[in-house]
Amino acid sequence: MKKFILLIFIAGFAFCLFSQEKPKTDIDQWLNQTEEEQQNAMRDSVVTNDLIKINYNRKNAQLAMAMSMLVPGAGQFYANKTVLTTYIFPVLEIGLIGGLVYFNNQGKDKTKKYEKYATGEIVTYITPDGTKITGFRYDRSRQDEIQAILIGVNEHDIYDNGYFRLDKTNSQHFYEDIGKYPQYVFGWMDWYYRFACNESGVRDSIRWKFDGENDSPNMRWTGNYPLWGNDTETLIPIDDHEMSRMRQTYIKMRNDAKDSYSMAHFFTLGLAFNHLAAGLDAIRVTRNFNRYYISQSVPALNFYAAMPLGNVTPMLGLKWTF
């Protein structure tokens, strides 16, 4: 009973609220109209099975958000295609996708170039006495040869099979390791034919030295002592660019490729942010639209008369301005 009374009260309150606007037609006006005016009013009145027909164009904020997070700008277009962000987010999306594709392709091209530089092309190296030696800039056989010497010198030092773990195939780790770790410098052509070989390009075990006394547990390889020309006793540390200029060039090429991939990653983050921002903005646009729509579309109940069966019948209608 209480619920029934409450519903009556709410209905009465709504009736008072919506009936503030003065009706334009009522039963007295209908009866005072001429026959021609009554026929025109009947022709303008659309009588259907529904007593009240509502055309409320309220937008769904959740739907708008989902649309814009999937396709930036779509939710704004759905809610209110006149707002500026409807067109800003798609333009940003296109620009970010273009940047991502450009820098990703640039990174791929640079990767192919440094891989070719290391193991994909035959070059000629000239020793100080003029001997010409051809081969790849990096060769595992040279690396394996020198690291085998290091492993066999002293069983108590760091040089063992766990220290040298270069991949046997041209994998991503292989191309990373030959530039990142100094213990893999031995495979580079300019190191091998400068420090491990004599003037004729034949390997000579005395061409390079260790740091420490012979057969000492403290024996470590820290660099090279070139024995050609005037730099006989000059130590070249393992991180010096003179150790292998080919390796230094290779490192620079890899860094350039990594910079391109970093930029592609930046654009990927930008795309994610654009989708998120577009989704949040779609909620804002939708709420503003609904707030404006409701404030401009206050419904009102109107009385009017119609003659669906040839008899004057009072009707109750809902006026909705939009």
Side-chain angles (χ1 to χ4, degrees):
M1 184 66 181
K2 291 181 179 180
K3 292 182 179 180
F4 181 75
I5 295 175
L6 181 61
L7 290 174
I8 294 177
F9 175 78
I10 294 174
F13 178 79
F15 178 81
C16 293
L17 180 65
F18 295 147
S19 62
Q20 292 179 3
E21 182 178 334
K22 183 179 179 180
K24 296 181 180 179
T25 60
D26 54 20
I27 297 177
D28 292 335
Q29 290 176 326
W30 174 269
L31 294 176
N32 292 330
Q33 288 178 345
T34 63
E35 182 178 354
E36 181 179 357
E37 290 174 340
Q38 291 178 358
Q39 291 177 353
N40 290 337
M42 291 174 59
R43 185 170 57 251
D44 295 336
S45 300
V46 179
V47 181
T48 63
N49 294 331
D50 298 330
L51 179 63
I52 300 176
K53 189 174 183 179
I54 300 176
N55 183 19
Y56 182 51
N57 196 26
R58 188 174 187 274
K59 303 298 183 179
N60 188 308
Q62 289 78 11
L63 176 60
M65 180 186 70
M67 292 173 65
S68 278
M69 291 193 74
L70 182 63
V71 180
Q76 286 82 349
F77 188 86
Y78 154 76
N80 185 3
K81 58 179 173 289
T82 62
V83 298
L84 185 60
T85 52
T86 302
Y87 309 98
I88 290 179
F89 285 111
V91 172
L92 288 175
E93 185 78 0
I94 294 173
L96 290 168
I97 291 176
L100 171 63
V101 172
Y102 172 79
F103 284 105
N104 192 56
N105 289 337
Q106 192 179 68
K108 290 180 179 179
D109 291 340
K110 291 181 178 180
T111 298
K112 292 179 180 178
K113 287 181 180 179
Y114 74 67
E115 289 178 353
K116 181 180 179 181
Y117 177 85
T119 61
E121 59 183 1
I122 301 295
V123 296
T124 300
Y125 179 80
I126 302 176
T127 64
D129 68 342
T131 302
K132 295 182 179 181
I133 301 172
T134 60
F136 297 111
R137 290 188 178 91
Y138 194 90
D139 195 322
R140 285 187 187 82
S141 63
R142 297 192 289 260
Q143 171 69 30
D144 293 340
E145 181 181 342
I146 301 302
Q147 71 183 32
I149 296 174
L150 286 173
I151 292 173
V153 168
N154 193 317
E155 62 181 5
H156 300 293
D157 59 27
I158 62 174
Y159 303 110
D160 55 24
N161 290 325
Y163 184 67
F164 298 107
R165 295 181 295 178
L166 190 63
D167 286 0
K168 299 303 180 182
T169 59
N170 293 349
S171 63
Q172 178 183 352
H173 289 292
F174 166 78
Y175 287 109
E176 178 181 358
D177 291 347
I178 62 176
K180 185 176 182 180
Y181 300 107
Q183 67 263 34
Y184 301 124
V185 70
F186 310 129
W188 288 101
M189 175 183 283
D190 57 345
W191 182 94
Y192 183 84
Y193 290 109
R194 182 181 182 190
F195 296 110
C197 298
N198 58 28
E199 290 82 350
S200 299
V202 179
R203 191 184 66 77
D204 187 346
S205 61
I206 66 172
R207 300 298 298 181
W208 55 292
K209 301 180 180 180
F210 296 96
D211 181 44
E213 298 295 332
N214 291 335
D215 299 325
S216 168
N218 297 322
M219 181 181 268
R220 296 290 184 271
W221 175 74
T222 60
N224 299 96
Y225 296 84
L227 301 179
W228 296 337
N230 298 323
D231 54 353
T232 302
E233 300 299 331
T234 303
L235 173 67
I236 298 180
I238 59 176
D239 57 350
D240 193 287
H241 70 279
E242 291 292 336
M243 179 66 64
S244 171
R245 295 196 177 187
M246 289 183 179
R247 178 173 179 266
Q248 293 300 320
T249 300
Y250 175 79
I251 291 174
K252 185 180 182 302
M253 295 176 70
R254 286 198 74 249
N255 288 337
D256 289 342
K258 288 192 292 185
D259 289 342
S260 295
Y261 282 124
S262 295
M263 288 298 298
H265 181 67
F266 172 79
F267 278 94
T268 301
L269 294 178
L271 282 170
F273 178 80
N274 191 50
H275 283 247
L276 177 61
L280 297 176
D281 181 72
I283 296 177
R284 179 191 65 83
V285 172
T286 304
R287 288 179 175 176
N288 289 342
F289 175 85
N290 289 339
R291 187 181 301 114
Y292 174 81
Y293 187 89
I294 293 173
S295 64
Q296 297 296 323
S297 307
V298 179
L301 292 173
N302 292 327
F303 290 103
Y304 65 93
M307 299 180 63
L309 299 177
N311 299 320
V312 178
T313 304
M315 304 291 288
L316 177 66
L318 179 67
K319 178 182 178 182
W320 197 276
T321 304
F322 57 93

